[in-house]
Amino acid sequence: MGPGQNCTVRAEWVAAASIAAGAAALGYLAYKAILCKDKASKAMVNPNIQKDNPKVVHAFDMEDLGDKAVYCRCWRSKQFPLCDGSHTKHNEETGDNVGPLIIKRKEA
């Protein structure tokens, strides 16, 4: 093998590696664009609460809360926005560790 042939073989390998890398990048982008959309919609946090609204918002006056208020953060409560303990089942099924938001008045 002469010096000229060695450069030709090296150039062919570089070209083949470049084509393979480009094909791999295009395949990955196609995978992300096509297949990952389904997973994103299945991973929604809010399964069914006020789905007709663009954003779920609840506001309360501090005076109306009383001494303690417990709010749902798992989006599974049948009494949303108040917690009914649904996070316990959710955590067992998913391995998650979500719990409620507890707001209480400072003791004087």
Side-chain angles (χ1 to χ4, degrees), residues 27-41:
Y28 175 74
L29 292 174
Y31 166 77
K32 293 292 279 183
I34 295 168
L35 296 178
C36 289
K37 286 183 182 176
D38 291 338
K39 290 180 183 177
S41 64

Side-chain angles (χ1 to χ4, degrees), residues 48-67:
N48 56 8
I49 298 168
Q50 295 183 15
K51 296 305 277 186
D52 55 331
N53 291 340
K55 187 187 297 185
V56 178
V57 177
H58 294 91
F60 299 93
D61 290 328
M62 293 298 291
E63 296 80 25
D64 296 338
L65 294 180
D67 292 333

